[in-house]
Amino acid sequence: MKTYFDERQDGHVPEKYFRYGEMDTPMELPARTDQLRLAMAGMQTTIVTPDDHGREPIEAAHKPAYVDFIETARQEWAKANISGGEVMTTIYVPAPPEAKGILADASRYQKDGSCPIGWHTFDAAYWSAQTTVCAADDLIAGEGLVYSLNRPPGHHARWAGAGGFCYFSNAAIGVHRLLQKFRRVAVLDVDMHHGQGTEEIFYRRNDVLTISIHADPTNFYPVSSGFKEHRGLGEGLGYNLNLPMLHGSLEQTFFDRLEQAIAQIKRFKPDVLVVPLGFDIYKDDPQSRVGVTTAGFKQLGSAIADLDLPTLINQEGGYHIESLVDNAQAFFTGLGVPMR
């Protein structure tokens, strides 16, 4: 198995984020990839630096003007002599088209207070996306399993909006790339939070099945999406499946939802699978609302392996730093990747 990662992804070091009415200490930091790379060093995988495929694959999933914003926002912030360091909107009513300037753009494209933009944020998000493009290309070339070690993560990024620590929707970028060869793609999102960005991007399509197992969004991010009633629109009706869990659910609840998801995937009969993987479902993770254990990650990996599909793993959340090595190795062992 190949693992794609670029050290420039760790240039994004957020200083703060806004939640529950106050500034908080960021969780999405380079320490996460330090641990995940350590986990991969103990497994039979090669860590590969991605090639540069440019902005075109990113713009397959995102509005070009939004990509421009992520690339230039910090420079425009400095030109406007705005204090505060990172770009972070405090205006949550999207500005109309006639409104100009960086504050207007930030109100359009930053959907919450958890996605500050610093000097190196674009580079990090850009190279995170490139890891996914290269991983997808490997599946197109005939590989059976590839890991895209994404940081920043991506599943909360919408067609024209950053949120939830996410800037570019890596999973959606991978899906668009895979559709160059494969006719039908399934997305199985097992992060603790609903992947509203992935859902939005494919909500009207019937060639992409999007499934998300996540915590009930009542008083939990992303709040406004992830409901079981949201099943798709138009041709996409029935091709979006949300499987929320009550807060405090036991591990078995997660696997009950996984059984439902796998049954739907089998009915869909995809040619390839994309898995946005969140280690924040771990029982001790500060974001967790369910009790998945380290052994549970191995069980999850085995269940995905049993689908016997070409599979792209996209890294999403996971903020309990002390457990990341063990949980990652358990998951990939379940997928069939041997230890060294």
Side-chain angles (χ1 to χ4, degrees), residues 245-265:
M245 299 174 287
L246 292 176
H247 298 188
S249 289
L250 301 176
E251 182 175 60
Q252 187 55 49
T253 301
F254 174 82
F255 284 102
D256 290 344
R257 300 293 190 276
L258 181 64
E259 184 177 351
Q260 293 177 257
I262 287 174
Q264 187 76 355
I265 290 168

Side-chain angles (χ1 to χ4, degrees), residues 128 131-132 135 146-150 170-172 174-175 274-278 312-316:
S128 186
T131 68
T132 296
V146 190
Y147 177 35
S148 177
L149 208 179
N150 298 109
N170 301 305
V175 169
V274 175
V275 180
L277 170 66
L312 166 58
I313 307 295
N314 280 112
Q315 188 59 55
E316 296 291 347

Side-chain angles (χ1 to χ4, degrees), residues 149-302:
L149 208 179
N150 298 109
R151 184 182 175 271
H155 70 154
H156 297 307
R158 307 175 192 183
W159 178 68
F165 310 152
C166 300
Y167 302 88
F168 297 142
S169 180
N170 301 305
I173 290 165
V175 169
H176 278 291
R177 194 76 170 184
L178 291 166
L179 286 169
Q180 294 181 6
K181 174 182 178 179
F182 299 103
R183 190 171 60 91
R184 293 161 75 85
V185 182
V187 179
L188 173 61
D189 190 326
V190 294
D191 186 272
M192 192 73 261
H193 307 83
H194 177 243
Q196 81 272 37
T198 316
E199 176 179 280
E200 178 191 274
I201 291 167
F202 298 111
Y203 204 59
R204 295 177 179 271
R205 296 184 64 148
N206 61 14
D207 55 347
V208 180
L209 171 67
T210 51
I211 301 177
S212 180
I213 305 171
H214 53 266
D216 181 346
T218 302
N219 294 328
F220 189 69
Y221 192 88
V223 179
S224 60
S225 68
F227 306 101
K228 62 184 181 180
E229 293 84 359
H230 294 176
R231 301 179 56 242
L233 285 176
E235 292 184 355
L237 182 61
Y239 293 89
N240 186 79
L241 176 63
N242 287 322
L243 298 169
M245 299 174 287
L246 292 176
H247 298 188
S249 289
L250 301 176
E251 182 175 60
Q252 187 55 49
T253 301
F254 174 82
F255 284 102
D256 290 344
R257 300 293 190 276
L258 181 64
E259 184 177 351
Q260 293 177 257
I262 287 174
Q264 187 76 355
I265 290 168
K266 289 179 177 178
R267 285 191 287 270
F268 181 65
K269 298 180 180 178
D271 304 302
V272 63
L273 178 68
V274 175
V275 180
L277 170 66
F279 291 116
D280 48 359
I281 58 175
Y282 179 60
K283 61 185 182 65
D284 294 329
D285 194 280
Q287 292 284 331
S288 185
R289 299 295 186 273
V290 66
V292 174
T293 61
T294 298
F297 282 107
K298 185 173 183 179
Q299 183 179 346
L300 171 60
S302 297

Side-chain angles (χ1 to χ4, degrees), residues 14 23-24 35 45 71 87 178 187 211 227 245 291 306 318 325:
M23 290 297 176
D24 206 343
Q35 293 301 301
T45 181
E71 183 171 14
V87 180
L178 291 166
V187 179
I211 301 177
F227 306 101
M245 299 174 287
D306 287 345
V325 171

Side-chain angles (χ1 to χ4, degrees), residues 26-40:
M27 299 179 187
E28 207 294 289
L29 294 167
R32 300 179 61 238
T33 51
D34 289 344
Q35 293 301 301
L36 291 170
R37 284 189 286 170
L38 183 61
M40 294 300 99

